[in-house]
Every structure is written in C-alpha cells, then in structure tokens.
C-alpha cells in the first residue's frame, strides 16, 4: 500500500498537468451526464447552462493554481538544496581559514621571535661600532633581510587567505552557472 502511494506521489510530482486534466475531464463528464439526465426530467433554464459550463473554467483555474504551486515547491526545494551547499562550503572555508591562520601564527611566532633577537643584536652592535661604515652597511643589509623575511611571512598569510576566497568564489560561480542559483 505504501509503495502504491509512493508511486502515485512520484507520478503526481512528475506529471501534475495530466492529473489535473484527468480530474477536470472526469468532473466535466460527471456534470455533463447529470446535466443531460436532468434535462429529460425538468425543463432547462439559461442559468442551468451557465452553471454547467462555469465549473469547467473554475476547474482550469484550480488546476493552474495547483500546477503553479507545485512548480514553486520544486523551486523552493532546489533553492534550499543550493543554500545548504553554500552553507557547507562556507563552513569548510571557515575551518580552512582557521587552520591557515593557526599555521601562520605558528610560523610568525617561530620565525619572528628569532628575528627580533637578531634585530636587537644588530642594533646593539651598531651602537657599539657606530663609526665603521662597512660594518654598518652589513648590519643594514642584515636588517633589510630580516624585514624581507617578516614581509614574506605576511605575504604567505595574504596569499593563503586570497586563495581560499578565490576557491569559494569559483565553487559558487560553478553552481550558479549550472542554474542552481538561490537568487532566481
């Protein structure tokens, strides 16, 4: 019994126009038979003819509303699925972003602390040997290299964040190009 109901539901969802047409023509057949049976018994008035044919128009309106409601339900389910997919991707990206941020903090901690010590030593050496140009040039070069290392770590952080954002954007654009947009 459940399988029959399931098959009827699938058929109804797949072919709502056929179901609506069958109901309309079945109702129309029933009212027409009733109309002709009554015409033998009583005299038909103009109002009887109007009531005979207005039911057909009302049934078509009901069928249109039913089919439109079914189409809207399908669009809603499709949009709901797309939204779930967007939320899943956003959650994955949030997790990935957290991991990248943690790795970058670890790298900054492990690299910047020694860089700070090296910079402090170069400043100390610079003050002790303030008159020697060649040593100061080498110390300036060391400071420049320390700065480049610090900037490189920041660049890696920015690059990883940008890569994550581009991946998210690509996934969303791919879904939108397939016609699964939430905004349709």
């Amino acid at each position: 019994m459940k399988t029959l109901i399931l098959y009827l539901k699938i058929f109804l969802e797949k072919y709502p126009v056929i179901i609506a047409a069958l109901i309309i023509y079945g109702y129309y057949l029933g009212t027409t038979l009733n109309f002709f049976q009554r015409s033998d018994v009583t005299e038909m008035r103009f109002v009887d003819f109007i009531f005979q044919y207005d039911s057909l128009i009302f049934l078509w309106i009901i069928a249109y509303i039913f089919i439109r409601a079914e189409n809207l339900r399908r669009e809603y389910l499709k949009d709901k699925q797309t939204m779930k997919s967007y939320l899943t991707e956003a959650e994955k990206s949030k997790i990935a972003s957290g991991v990248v941020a943690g790795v970058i903090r670890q790298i900054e901690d492990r690299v910047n602390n020694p860089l700070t010590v090296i910079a402090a030593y170069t400043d100390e050496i610079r003050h002790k040997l303030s008159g020697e140009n060649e040593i100061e040039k080498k110390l300036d070069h060391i400071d420049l290299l320390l700065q480049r290392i610090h900037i490189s770590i920041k660049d890696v952080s920015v690059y990883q964040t940008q890569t994550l954002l581009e991946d998210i954007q690509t996934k969303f654009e791919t879904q939108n190009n397939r016609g699964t947009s939430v905004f349709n």
Side-chain angles (χ1 to χ4, degrees):
M1 184 66 181
K2 286 184 180 182
T3 57
L4 178 64
I5 293 172
L6 182 63
Y7 286 132
L8 287 174
K9 183 179 177 184
I10 291 171
F11 186 77
L12 179 67
E13 288 176 355
K14 207 170 195 179
Y15 306 108
V17 175
I18 293 173
I19 300 297
L22 289 174
I23 291 170
I24 289 169
Y25 287 120
Y27 179 80
Y28 186 64
L29 178 65
T31 58
T32 303
L33 290 175
N34 184 28
F35 177 76
F36 286 121
Q37 285 175 351
R38 278 189 338 162
S39 69
D40 290 340
V41 177
T42 64
E43 184 177 318
M44 300 304 288
R45 294 172 300 186
F46 181 70
V47 175
D48 291 328
F49 287 102
I50 291 175
F51 285 136
Q52 171 61 30
Y53 293 107
D54 73 341
S55 62
L56 187 61
I57 294 169
F58 289 132
L59 282 174
W60 278 111
I61 291 171
I62 291 170
Y64 171 77
I65 291 170
F66 170 74
I67 292 168
R68 183 69 181 138
E70 182 63 25
N71 287 341
L72 288 174
R73 186 186 71 79
R74 286 181 187 170
E75 287 177 23
Y76 170 76
L77 291 175
K78 184 177 169 184
D79 288 348
K80 187 176 176 182
Q81 185 64 32
T82 302
M83 187 58 72
K84 280 183 183 178
S85 134
Y86 283 171
L87 290 174
T88 301
E89 288 301 322
E91 286 296 319
K92 286 179 185 176
S93 298
K94 184 178 177 182
I95 292 168
S97 175
V99 169
V100 167
V103 168
I104 295 298
R105 274 193 301 269
Q106 286 291 331
I107 290 173
E108 285 177 340
D109 186 47
R110 294 190 184 257
V111 173
N112 282 340
N113 286 344
L115 292 180
T116 305
V117 171
I118 293 170
Y121 285 151
T122 58
D123 282 345
E124 187 180 318
I125 292 170
R126 188 182 318 261
H127 289 309
K128 286 184 181 178
L129 303 171
S130 61
E132 298 183 33
N133 267 346
E134 192 164 319
I135 292 178
E136 282 186 10
K137 285 181 185 178
K138 290 183 180 182
L139 291 174
D140 288 340
H141 187 67
I142 290 171
D143 285 340
L144 179 67
L145 293 174
L146 292 175
Q147 197 64 17
R148 283 179 56 192
I149 292 171
H150 181 71
I151 290 171
S152 295
I153 291 171
K154 292 292 182 189
D155 287 346
V156 167
S157 173
V158 169
Y159 173 77
Q160 288 299 326
T161 303
Q162 185 177 1
T163 302
L164 281 172
L165 291 174
E166 287 173 356
D167 287 347
I168 293 170
Q169 184 177 3
T170 302
K171 288 176 185 175
F172 287 165
E173 286 174 355
T174 302
Q175 287 178 343
N176 286 338
N177 289 339
R178 280 192 238 142
T180 58
S181 173
V182 174
F183 307 107
N184 283 343

Coordinates of all heavy atoms in Angstrom, one line a residue, residues 76-92 172 175 180 182:
Y76 N 11.5 26.0 -4.6 CA 11.9 26.2 -3.2 C 12.9 25.1 -2.8 O 13.9 25.3 -2.1 CB 10.7 26.2 -2.3 CG 11.0 26.2 -0.9 CD1 11.5 27.3 -0.2 CD2 10.8 25.0 -0.1 CE1 11.8 27.2 1.1 CE2 11.1 24.9 1.2 CZ 11.6 26.0 1.8 OH 11.9 26.0 3.2
L77 N 12.5 23.8 -3.1 CA 13.4 22.7 -2.7 C 14.8 22.8 -3.3 O 15.8 22.5 -2.7 CB 12.7 21.4 -3.0 CG 11.5 21.0 -2.2 CD1 10.9 19.7 -2.7 CD2 11.8 20.9 -0.7
K78 N 14.8 23.2 -4.6 CA 16.1 23.4 -5.3 C 16.9 24.5 -4.7 O 18.1 24.3 -4.4 CB 15.7 23.7 -6.8 CG 16.9 23.8 -7.7 CD 16.4 24.0 -9.1 CE 17.5 24.4 -10.0 NZ 17.0 24.8 -11.3
D79 N 16.2 25.6 -4.3 CA 16.9 26.7 -3.7 C 17.4 26.3 -2.3 O 18.5 26.7 -1.9 CB 16.1 28.0 -3.6 CG 15.9 28.6 -5.0 OD1 16.6 28.2 -5.9 OD2 15.0 29.5 -5.1
K80 N 16.6 25.6 -1.6 CA 17.0 25.1 -0.3 C 18.3 24.2 -0.3 O 19.2 24.4 0.5 CB 15.8 24.3 0.4 CG 16.0 24.0 1.8 CD 14.8 23.3 2.3 CE 15.0 22.8 3.7 NZ 13.8 22.2 4.3
Q81 N 18.3 23.3 -1.3 CA 19.5 22.5 -1.5 C 20.7 23.3 -1.9 O 21.8 23.1 -1.4 CB 19.2 21.4 -2.6 CG 20.3 20.4 -2.8 CD 20.5 19.6 -1.5 OE1 19.5 19.3 -0.8 NE2 21.7 19.2 -1.3
T82 N 20.5 24.3 -2.7 CA 21.6 25.2 -3.1 C 22.1 25.9 -1.9 O 23.3 26.1 -1.7 CB 21.2 26.2 -4.2 OG1 20.7 25.4 -5.3 CG2 22.3 27.1 -4.6
M83 N 21.2 26.4 -1.1 CA 21.6 27.2 0.1 C 22.4 26.3 1.1 O 23.4 26.7 1.7 CB 20.4 27.7 0.8 CG 20.7 28.7 2.0 SD 21.7 30.1 1.5 CE 20.6 31.0 0.6
K84 N 22.0 25.0 1.2 CA 22.7 24.1 2.1 C 24.1 23.9 1.5 O 25.1 23.8 2.3 CB 22.0 22.7 2.1 CG 20.8 22.6 3.0 CD 20.2 21.2 3.0 CE 19.0 21.1 3.9 NZ 18.4 19.8 3.8
S85 N 24.2 23.8 0.2 CA 25.5 23.6 -0.4 C 26.4 24.8 -0.1 O 27.6 24.7 0.2 CB 25.4 23.3 -1.9 OG 26.2 24.0 -2.6
Y86 N 25.8 26.0 -0.2 CA 26.6 27.3 0.0 C 27.0 27.3 1.5 O 28.2 27.7 1.8 CB 25.7 28.5 -0.2 CG 25.5 28.9 -1.7 CD1 24.6 29.8 -2.1 CD2 26.3 28.2 -2.7 CE1 24.5 30.2 -3.4 CE2 26.1 28.6 -4.0 CZ 25.2 29.6 -4.4 OH 25.1 29.9 -5.7
L87 N 26.1 26.9 2.4 CA 26.5 26.9 3.8 C 27.6 25.9 4.1 O 28.5 26.2 4.9 CB 25.3 26.7 4.7 CG 24.2 27.8 4.7 CD1 23.0 27.4 5.5 CD2 24.8 29.1 5.3
T88 N 27.5 24.8 3.5 CA 28.5 23.8 3.7 C 29.9 24.3 3.2 O 30.9 24.1 3.9 CB 28.2 22.5 2.9 OG1 26.9 22.0 3.4 CG2 29.2 21.4 3.1
E89 N 29.9 24.9 2.0 CA 31.2 25.4 1.5 C 31.7 26.5 2.4 O 32.9 26.6 2.6 CB 31.0 25.9 0.1 CG 30.8 24.9 -0.9 CD 32.0 23.9 -1.0 OE1 33.1 24.3 -0.9 OE2 31.7 22.7 -1.2
A90 N 30.8 27.4 2.9 CA 31.2 28.5 3.8 C 31.8 27.9 5.1 O 32.8 28.4 5.6 CB 30.0 29.4 4.1
E91 N 31.2 26.9 5.6 CA 31.7 26.2 6.8 C 33.1 25.6 6.6 O 34.0 25.7 7.4 CB 30.8 25.2 7.4 CG 29.5 25.8 8.1 CD 29.9 26.6 9.3 OE1 30.7 26.2 10.1 OE2 29.3 27.6 9.5
K92 N 33.2 24.9 5.4 CA 34.5 24.3 5.1 C 35.6 25.4 5.0 O 36.7 25.2 5.5 CB 34.4 23.5 3.8 CG 33.7 22.2 3.9 CD 33.6 21.6 2.5 CE 32.8 20.3 2.4 NZ 32.7 19.8 1.1
F172 N 31.0 28.8 -6.0 CA 29.7 29.4 -6.1 C 29.4 29.8 -7.5 O 28.3 29.6 -8.0 CB 29.7 30.7 -5.2 CG 29.6 30.4 -3.7 CD1 29.8 31.3 -2.8 CD2 29.3 29.1 -3.3 CE1 29.8 31.1 -1.4 CE2 29.2 28.8 -1.9 CZ 29.5 29.8 -1.0
Q175 N 28.3 26.6 -9.4 CA 26.9 26.3 -9.0 C 25.9 27.2 -9.7 O 24.9 26.8 -10.2 CB 26.7 26.3 -7.5 CG 27.4 25.1 -6.8 CD 27.2 25.2 -5.3 OE1 26.9 26.2 -4.8 NE2 27.5 24.0 -4.7
T180 N 21.8 26.6 -10.5 CA 21.2 26.4 -9.2 C 21.4 27.6 -8.3 O 21.8 27.5 -7.2 CB 22.0 25.2 -8.6 OG1 23.4 25.5 -8.5 CG2 21.8 23.9 -9.3
V182 N 20.4 30.7 -6.0 CA 19.4 31.0 -4.9 C 18.6 32.2 -5.3 O 17.5 32.4 -4.9 CB 20.1 31.2 -3.6 CG1 19.2 31.7 -2.5 CG2 20.9 30.0 -3.1

